């Protein structure tokens, strides 16, 4: 899509032809792969904490910043006029209606400690990802796990894949046999609340998994490694790309009161489980306000 005049109507997600989505996806895959190779190489050289954000355990590494800078620089070359919304740098407004939502390393603590569960997520969305959840629609995305050598990709209305193999979620098991994923906050107080919430689920599901990277949790539903996932407090870069992967594989992705997913809550599940899980999961106090 080329730069549009400010007086012209904004594009509609349904107006994008498959070949246009493919062009966007190819860019997402290229950049996520390049950044994944970069951060994996830096991991072998050694990683140290460069800064902290919301708390002493909410860390940033030099690799986070280098990865995002690389993706941002490449997008300026490939897609001038598109917006940018990433975790580690200031947002740029879109002149085309499209914005690239980037998590340069999802699972930074895993990355620091050498756990292989981290990813680079690149999604292109229509609308404003910095506003309400319903204000943007993901069109194409790539979530690359360099250590696992897995590349999850998706296009709106066209499906999702892992390393080129089409993904389809299996039929949902009964809730008591469901393997459920979740994540925990960098805030110690909120982690306690999340642990208390887990106690309400402990006797109702098969077990809980904590991967440490929301993007991989969502992709794990698409590839049938999890049956359901929930979390409060995510930012758009945490889920924009991977939620599309899950949706296009047939999972149901919802938020508070079964609306759109967002900062307050995201639930992703094999069809049917989302309703039962929503009855057990509540939005934590103060999240997304």
């Amino acid at each position: 899509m080329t730069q549009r005049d400010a007086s012209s109507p904004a594009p509609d997600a349904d107006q994008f032809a498959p070949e246009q989505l493919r062009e966007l996806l190819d860019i997402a895959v290229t950049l996520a792969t390049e950044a994944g190779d970069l951060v994996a190489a830096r991991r072998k050289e050694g990683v140290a904490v460069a800064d902290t954000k919301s708390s002493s355990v909410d860390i940033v590494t030099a690799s986070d910043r280098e990865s995002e800078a690389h993706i941002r620089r490449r997008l300026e070359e490939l897609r001038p006029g598109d917006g940018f919304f990433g975790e580690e740098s200031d947002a740029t407004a879109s002149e085309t209606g499209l914005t690239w939502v980037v998590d340069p390393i999802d699972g930074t603590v895993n990355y620091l400690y050498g756990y292989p569960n981290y990813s680079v997520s690149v999604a292109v969305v229509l609308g404003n990802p910095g506003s309400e959840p319903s204000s943007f629609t993901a069109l194409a995305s790539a979530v690359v796990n360099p250590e696992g050598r897995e590349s999850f990709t998706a296009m709106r209305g066209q499906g999702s894949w892992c390393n080129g193999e089409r993904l389809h979620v299996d039929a949902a098991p009964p809730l008591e046999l469901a393997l459920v994923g979740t994540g925990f906050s960098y805030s110690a107080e909120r982690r306690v609340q999340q642990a208390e919430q887990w106690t309400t689920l402990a006797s109702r599901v098969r077990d809980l998994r904590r991967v440490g990277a929301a993007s991989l949790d969502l992709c794990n539903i698409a590839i049938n490694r999890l049956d359901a996932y929930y979390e409060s407090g995510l930012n758009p870069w945490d889920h924009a790309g991977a939620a599309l992967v899950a949706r296009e594989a047939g999972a149901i992705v919802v938020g508070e009161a079964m609306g759109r997913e967002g900062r307050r809550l995201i639930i992703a599940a094999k069809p049917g489980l989302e309703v039962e899980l929503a009855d057990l999961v509540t939005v934590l106090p103060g999240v997304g306000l």
Side-chain angles (χ1 to χ4, degrees):
M1 177 174 289
T2 57
Q3 184 169 324
R4 67 183 179 89
D5 185 272
S7 62
S8 63
D12 183 90
D14 293 330
Q15 294 177 354
F16 287 80
E19 57 268 23
Q20 292 175 298
L21 295 176
R22 171 57 65 179
E23 291 176 4
L24 295 172
L25 178 62
D26 288 345
I27 293 173
V29 171
T30 296
L31 300 190
T33 302
E34 290 177 357
D37 291 343
L38 173 65
V39 299
R42 295 291 183 264
R43 182 69 193 77
K44 293 179 181 178
E45 297 168 2
V47 179
V49 175
D51 203 354
T52 60
K53 295 187 284 189
S54 63
S55 74
S56 61
V57 295
D58 185 5
I59 62 168
V60 179
T61 70
S63 298
D64 288 90
R65 293 171 174 170
E66 187 178 8
S67 173
E68 183 156 316
H70 173 83
I71 295 170
R72 187 164 196 155
R73 182 172 58 252
R74 294 281 279 127
L75 284 170
E76 288 170 355
E77 299 169 355
L78 297 170
R79 297 287 307 180
D82 287 357
F84 186 89
F85 193 78
E87 183 173 11
E88 307 300 342
S89 59
D90 292 338
T92 300
S94 176
E95 299 172 353
T96 64
L98 299 183
T99 296
W100 295 82
V101 183
V102 172
D103 196 333
I105 302 178
D106 183 29
T108 301
V109 173
N110 286 346
Y111 180 75
L112 175 69
Y113 277 83
Y115 281 93
N117 298 321
Y118 66 87
S119 75
V120 177
S121 177
V122 178
V124 57
V125 308
L126 186 64
N128 178 13
S131 186
E132 293 300 317
S134 60
S135 66
F136 72 91
T137 301
L139 299 177
S141 66
V143 178
V144 172
N145 176 359
E147 303 290 346
R149 300 183 181 277
E150 289 183 326
S151 178
F152 294 93
T153 58
M155 293 188 296
R156 183 178 184 270
Q158 303 298 312
S160 59
W161 301 263
C162 179
N163 294 349
E165 184 175 346
R166 187 70 177 261
L167 297 175
H168 299 281
V169 299
D170 294 337
L175 182 64
E176 62 267 22
L177 297 180
L179 187 62
V180 178
T182 192
F184 290 92
S185 172
Y186 291 117
S187 161
E189 179 182 3
R190 192 161 291 161
R191 282 199 302 274
V192 171
Q193 295 171 338
Q194 289 168 322
E196 291 171 347
Q197 186 171 83
W198 164 237
T199 63
T200 68
L201 288 170
S203 65
R204 304 291 300 274
V205 302
R206 182 192 292 274
D207 205 351
L208 178 76
R209 290 292 179 269
R210 163 78 162 108
V211 169
S215 60
L216 295 182
D217 279 316
L218 288 160
C219 289
N220 279 339
I221 293 176
I223 204 168
N224 294 300
R225 292 174 184 152
L226 286 175
D227 298 308
Y229 163 78
Y230 73 95
E231 189 166 350
S232 290
L234 294 184
N235 291 295
W237 50 75
D238 296 313
H239 63 79
L244 183 63
V245 173
R247 270 198 179 95
E248 290 296 325
I252 306 299
V253 184
V254 296
E256 186 179 18
M258 305 302 286
R260 275 290 305 273
E261 71 276 10
R263 287 184 175 89
R264 287 176 60 77
L265 181 65
I266 182 170
I267 294 173
K270 295 176 179 178
L273 284 177
E274 80 283 358
V275 177
E276 294 180 273
L277 197 58
D279 288 338
L280 298 172
V281 174
T282 58
V283 178
L284 298 179
V287 172
L289 299 177

